[in-house]
Amino acid sequence: MNKKWGLSASALLLAAAIILPGCANKQEAPKEALKSAAAKATALTSYEMKSKLVINNLTVEAGEGTTDATTGMVLSMLKNADISVNGVYQADPMQTEMTMVLNLKGDMAMSFNIPMVMTAEKMYVKVPSIPFLPLPETIVGKYVELDLKELAEQGGTEWSPASVDTQKMQKLSNEVVSTLLAEYDEEKYFTDIKPKDAALPEDVKAKQVVQFQVTNDNVKEALTILVNNALPKIIDIVGKEEYKTMLQIDEADLAKAKEELQSSETRAEVDKGLADLNKYLTINQFKLDTALDKDSFPVYQNLLMDIIVKDPEQGTNVSLSLTGSNQYSKVNEKQTFTIGIPQGDDVVTMEELQQQFGGMGTY
């Protein structure tokens, strides 16, 4: 794929990933509402969560003779596929449980249901039954126990409880979002939407809905601001000692990333890519709505994205349309965990799992 449109699409998705928080007690201007809630979100100590991502359309128009049967089958499975995650979180003691459901469509339609549990030191993943992957009956339905400290050590890093410090992660998110929002003009990118016009779920009660929107008219400017103004500042934030330790990031790598980002060569390549952006990227729709409740928490977010990414040199056009949502409830209330922490005969270790697979032979 061409670097120019690849960078553009990646940057656009990054913007979607980090502009997500909410508001304050009285109606504020849209951008200030988001900045206020980014700070307030650091007080989150528990919540229930429901997330869903639906791929409404995924098509690849390739040059003659470049599309094979495998690609067609994969596209068929992914079109109208959806992923949902329902979960519960509490900060103290740290415990998270969630169930991920993946529904694939097309001629090979299938569904996977994968419950997961995480504590400060362990992660447990339930082994699903997968039709085309014959797994030993002795492990299907059991939870594989993953020791986070051991995994870190195997990856060559030093494990620290700070690496799963969710409240510090919320603080980092607050700093990143506030820095990012400060770079964008409110009138061009942010709009207040009346809650009654925002198509919110019936159980979401919002006092304010803020929309962030990127169009073909402002996408060049939006990406220029992201790459040239926001990203260097975000690298500086990530480089703070408290975050660098938490994220297990090497200071030399951060310095190199910032140097490369601000180099004349990178700037020239980015500027050239942005100048020709219309050749590589078309935005039919890109909107991110954030609904704020009476206590100013971002209780609901909804993303609508419909884009076409083009590679003129290869004669390839990729059309992607998706919708995504996050909904939060029971914020800072006592939570109920339905799975609990797996133990006893319901658990297998990684060593036991490897032994089971070792006895399956070659398929």
Side-chain angles (χ1 to χ4, degrees):
M1 290 294 181
N2 189 284
K3 287 184 178 179
K4 297 175 183 176
W5 64 260
L7 172 65
S8 303
S10 298
L12 190 62
L13 292 175
L14 173 62
I18 56 183
I19 305 178
L20 292 180
C23 175
N25 282 331
K26 62 180 181 179
Q27 188 93 341
E28 293 183 284
K31 190 166 84 168
E32 289 305 311
L34 293 176
K35 291 175 67 176
S36 297
K40 189 158 186 177
T42 61
L44 285 171
T45 59
S46 66
Y47 53 78
E48 284 190 4
M49 174 266 290
K50 292 191 294 185
S51 297
K52 189 169 187 178
L53 178 69
V54 180
I55 301 175
N56 300 310
N57 180 53
L58 176 59
T59 57
V60 176
E61 297 177 8
E64 186 176 351
T66 59
T67 302
D68 56 30
T70 301
T71 301
M73 182 183 70
V74 172
L75 292 175
S76 175
M77 293 174 66
L78 290 178
K79 187 174 181 180
N80 296 318
D82 65 78
I83 302 173
S84 63
V85 179
N86 294 341
V88 181
Y89 161 80
Q90 72 178 20
D92 187 21
M94 193 285 186
Q95 185 174 342
T96 301
E97 68 177 38
M98 61 183 67
T99 299
M100 181 178 72
V101 179
L102 171 61
N103 294 310
L104 300 176
K105 312 295 182 177
D107 295 335
M108 295 184 64
M110 62 187 75
S111 294
F112 301 101
N113 190 308
I114 308 176
M116 292 173 278
V117 176
M118 184 174 180
T119 67
E121 298 180 352
K122 300 286 183 69
M123 176 179 285
Y124 303 86
V125 181
K126 193 172 185 178
V127 180
S129 175
I130 304 176
F132 58 81
L133 182 60
L135 299 174
E137 294 183 2
T138 51
I139 65 170
V140 172
K142 293 192 175 184
Y143 286 86
V144 178
E145 181 184 83
L146 305 172
D147 187 298
L148 300 180
K149 183 177 181 179
E150 289 182 5
L151 289 176
E153 291 173 348
Q154 290 171 7
T157 60
E158 183 178 349
W159 182 83
S160 168
S163 63
V164 290
D165 188 334
T166 52
Q167 290 182 313
K168 187 176 290 186
M169 186 64 76
Q170 289 166 351
K171 183 181 176 184
L172 170 61
S173 175
N174 172 33
E175 289 196 43
V176 170
V177 169
S178 296
T179 297
L180 184 66
L181 294 178
E183 300 296 332
Y184 287 92
D185 180 80
E186 184 167 66
E187 292 186 3
K188 289 184 180 180
Y189 299 96
F190 302 91
T191 308
D192 260 327
I193 305 295
K194 292 181 180 179
K196 65 181 181 64
D197 297 330
L200 301 174
E202 290 185 6
D203 57 341
V204 172
K205 308 301 179 184
K207 71 173 183 180
Q208 185 173 4
V209 179
V210 178
Q211 183 175 95
F212 174 82
Q213 181 173 203
V214 176
T215 67
N216 277 324
D217 293 332
N218 63 21
V219 65
K220 290 184 182 180
E221 181 188 70
L223 291 175
T224 300
I225 291 171
L226 177 65
V227 175
N228 293 343
N229 300 4
L231 286 184
K233 295 179 181 179
I234 291 172
I235 290 175
D236 288 338
I237 293 172
V238 173
K240 291 183 178 180
E241 194 62 37
E242 57 182 320
Y243 302 138
K244 185 174 60 178
T245 302
M246 177 181 68
L247 298 173
Q248 299 287 307
I249 294 177
D250 185 76
E251 187 171 355
D253 291 337
L254 285 174
K256 183 178 180 181
K258 186 174 181 180
E259 181 182 353
E260 290 180 351
L261 187 65
Q262 296 181 315
S263 70
S264 57
E265 293 83 359
T266 300
R267 289 292 180 92
E269 184 177 354
V270 170
D271 289 344
K272 188 176 186 306
L274 290 173
D276 297 330
L277 190 63
N278 63 312
K279 297 179 181 178
Y280 306 101
L281 177 67
T282 300
I283 298 180
N284 296 321
Q285 191 172 48
F286 187 93
K287 297 179 180 179
L288 181 66
D289 294 348
T290 301
L292 319 168
D293 71 1
K294 60 182 179 60
D295 296 319
S296 303
F297 284 106
V299 290
Y300 182 75
Q301 293 130 359
N302 186 57
L303 171 68
L304 300 176
M305 184 173 76
D306 184 354
I307 64 173
I308 301 173
V309 182
K310 296 167 282 189
D311 186 345
E313 297 174 4
Q314 299 295 326
T316 302
N317 294 336
V318 179
S319 298
L320 173 63
S321 173
L322 59 82
T323 56
S325 64
N326 292 319
Q327 183 175 341
Y328 300 90
S329 61
K330 296 186 178 180
V331 174
N332 293 346
E333 297 180 9
K334 181 176 175 57
Q335 303 301 322
T336 300
F337 294 91
T338 57
I339 299 175
I341 300 175
Q343 53 189 312
D345 293 338
D346 290 335
V347 176
V348 294
T349 65
M350 279 298 297
E351 291 77 13
E352 292 170 333
L353 182 67
Q354 290 167 355
Q355 290 172 3
Q356 290 284 350
F357 274 100
M360 289 177 63
T362 302
Y363 286 84

